[in-house]
Amino acid sequence: MRFPFFLYLLLAMTMLNGLASANAQGFDAALEKLVARQYASAAAPGAAVFVLQGKDRFVKGYGLADLTKRLPVTPQTQFRLASVSKQFTARSIYELIRSGKLQYTTALGTLFNDLPKAVRAITVRQLLQHCSGILDYENLIPADQHAQLSDEDVLRLIQTKDSVYFQPGSKFRYSNTGYCLLALIVQKLGGMRYEDFVKQQVFDPLALNEALVAHPGVFIPHRAYGYHPEGNGFRFADQSLTSATKGDGGVYMSVEAYARWARVLIESATDSNGYFNTIIKDPFPVKDGIGYNLGWFICTEADGSTAVFHSGESTGFHNIVYINPHKNTMVIIFSNRDDFKIAALFQDITAQVGIGPKALAIAHTPLFNWLNSLYAEQ
C-alpha cells in the first residue's frame, strides 16, 4: 500500500518539529544549569539573562529585584545599565550627525564656553572613542562633596583644570567624563533635555518599552535595586555620588527591551551603510586586537566574524552584553549585585554558544575581568 505524498510530507514536518523542540529543550536545560550555578538563591539579589543563538532563545530572571518587598527578577525588570548606557549616548550623537547638526570633527571649544585651552580642540569623535585624554571627573570631585553630581557638574569640574592626560587622539583611556560631555552636546543641539531626546529619537522609534534615562523625580517601573555582598548577606548599595550623571551610565532597561535593541543591530549588519557597520568602521585601537567606537568594544572571533560588546559596573550593578550579528547570537546579563559571579556566568555561556574575542580565548582571559581591569586603568 502506497501512502499519499502529503502524508510523507506531514510525517517529515512532524519529525523536524520534534527535533527542533528537543534541541530547544536541550539549549534551555544547558543554560539553566549554567545560570543556576551562579545565581542559585531565590532570596538574594540576582540577574536577568537573555541568550539567542540562531533560532534558539533563552530568557529568564533569577533572584530578587528588591529585597525589602521580595519582588522577583523577571525579563521585564529594569536594571541600571551603568556603562552599557554609553551606546545610547553615542546613538544620540549619531542622530545629530545624521541630521546635519553636528560633525565628528566638531571641537569642544565651539560648543562650550570657558573651556581651558588644553580641552578646546578635543573632538566629538575623540570623546566617542575614549582617546581624548580628558581628565576623569571622578578624580576631581571635592572631598566635601555630598550631593550627587550631574553632567553639568562634570563640565564645571573640567573647566577648572587646564590639562589633559595626553595629546588628544594619541592613545586610549576609558573616560566617563567624555560621555557626560556628549550628553550635554545632545541636550544643547537637540533642543531638549537629554533624557527626552533619547526617548524620542532612540527608545520610542525602536519600541524599547519603559526604557528611560534616570533623572530627578522620575518613576522607574519594575525597578531593580542594587546591592553589595557583605558578610553572609547583602547591603543596599543602589546609589553613589556618581549615580546621577546621565551620559555615562544613566539608562534603565530590561533584558527583554535590550534584546530588541540588539535585534536592530543584528538586522542593520546586512546593510553596508547600517548602524552596525558604522560602529565597526575605523575603531580606535584599545589592546589585544580589540577596538572601540560609538559606545562599543569591537573584536574579531576565531572564525573571522566581527562582534561587539560592553559591560557596565556601578555600585550595586554589574552587566554585560555581547552581540555577533553574523552568528545571530547575543548574550545579555543584567545583575543587581556588584560581585563577580557575572564574570564566571558570562564565560560559561559564551563557551556554550561558541563566541568570544579570538585574542582573549588564546590567552584564556575572561572577558568581564579584562574589561574590569581596563576600567581600573583610569
Side-chain angles (χ1 to χ4, degrees):
M1 179 179 177
R2 299 181 62 186
F3 287 93
F5 175 74
F6 79 89
L7 289 179
Y8 284 110
L9 183 60
L10 181 61
L11 179 61
M13 290 177 64
T14 301
M15 293 176 64
L16 287 173
N17 287 338
L19 181 60
S21 177
N23 287 341
Q25 290 175 11
F27 181 78
D28 286 355
L31 290 174
E32 178 75 49
K33 183 177 180 181
L34 294 179
V35 182
R37 187 185 302 168
Q38 302 300 331
Y39 299 100
S41 175
V49 180
F50 189 109
V51 181
L52 176 74
Q53 183 184 34
K55 295 182 179 180
D56 292 322
R57 177 179 177 272
F58 175 89
V59 56
K60 194 170 180 181
Y62 296 81
L64 295 177
D66 184 330
L67 295 188
T68 301
K69 296 182 178 179
R70 312 296 291 175
L71 298 176
V73 172
T74 74
Q76 294 79 41
T77 297
Q78 301 217 99
F79 292 79
R80 177 178 171 82
L81 299 196
S83 286
V84 174
S85 305
K86 288 182 172 66
Q87 57 203 246
F88 299 104
T89 301
R91 178 60 189 245
S92 298
I93 289 290
Y94 170 79
E95 294 298 335
L96 289 174
I97 291 171
R98 195 163 64 162
S99 66
K101 296 180 179 179
L102 184 67
Q103 295 180 323
Y104 288 117
T105 55
T106 301
L108 289 186
T110 67
L111 297 167
F112 300 112
N113 297 324
D114 302 321
L115 284 180
K117 183 178 179 181
V119 177
R120 290 175 200 161
I122 291 173
T123 66
V124 168
R125 186 186 299 278
Q126 289 165 349
L127 295 181
L128 288 167
Q129 296 185 328
H130 296 298
C131 62
S132 69
I134 200 164
L135 300 182
D136 297 321
Y137 77 84
E138 297 92 336
N139 297 332
L140 303 178
I141 300 174
D144 59 353
Q145 180 81 29
H146 297 294
Q148 288 184 317
L149 277 80
S150 66
D151 298 277
E152 289 80 4
D153 291 328
V154 172
L155 175 60
R156 285 190 282 272
L157 290 174
I158 292 303
Q159 287 171 331
T160 66
K161 300 291 182 180
D162 190 14
S163 63
V164 290
Y165 291 121
F166 49 77
Q167 179 67 30
S170 65
K171 64 172 68 173
F172 181 91
R173 182 185 171 104
Y174 192 83
S175 172
N176 287 315
T177 302
Y179 273 74
C180 290
L181 297 184
L182 288 169
L184 294 177
I185 293 171
V186 170
Q187 192 162 275
K188 183 181 182 72
L189 300 184
M192 63 184 78
R193 296 185 307 172
Y194 169 77
E195 56 267 31
D196 295 331
F197 187 95
V198 176
K199 176 176 171 55
Q200 291 182 26
Q201 299 296 319
V202 183
F203 292 162
D204 287 351
L206 301 179
L208 302 182
N209 301 337
E210 296 186 337
L212 53 82
V213 177
H215 55 278
V218 69
F219 170 70
I220 303 172
H222 310 299
R223 177 177 181 172
Y225 287 93
Y227 298 90
H228 178 74
E230 191 170 83
N232 295 323
F234 291 87
R235 171 173 54 82
F236 186 74
D238 188 70
Q239 296 284 303
S240 71
L241 281 179
T242 62
S243 293
T245 52
K246 301 170 187 175
D248 61 339
V251 171
Y252 276 77
M253 188 178 290
S254 68
V255 293
E256 193 174 72
Y258 189 90
R260 288 196 287 277
W261 163 246
R263 169 53 56 192
V264 169
L265 291 180
I266 287 175
E267 292 174 351
S268 74
T270 61
D271 179 0
S272 61
N273 295 315
Y275 190 58
F276 181 82
N277 288 301
T278 300
I279 292 170
I280 66 174
K281 183 180 179 182
D282 300 325
F284 194 85
V286 180
K287 63 179 181 178
D288 299 322
I290 293 170
Y292 197 98
N293 194 29
L294 291 170
W296 286 99
F297 290 94
I298 301 153
C299 71
T300 301
E301 295 195 5
D303 64 355
S305 62
T306 301
V308 296
F309 60 90
H310 214 289
S311 64
E313 302 179 36
S314 67
T315 182
F317 294 92
H318 277 176
N319 315 300
I320 190 164
V321 296
Y322 189 105
I323 302 169
N324 186 325
H326 313 286
K327 295 180 178 179
N328 195 37
T329 299
M330 66 176 81
V331 176
I332 307 163
I333 309 173
F334 296 162
S335 174
N336 64 327
R337 48 195 285 173
D338 55 6
D339 56 17
F340 283 85
K341 286 182 175 293
I342 191 172
L345 175 59
F346 180 79
Q347 202 66 11
D348 287 343
I349 291 177
T350 53
Q352 177 73 29
V353 299
I355 56 175
K358 179 181 178 180
L360 301 191
I362 293 173
H364 302 290
T365 302
L367 183 55
F368 192 91
N369 297 78
W370 182 89
L371 286 162
N372 181 260
S373 64
L374 188 72
Y375 302 148
E377 293 173 5
Q378 293 182 76

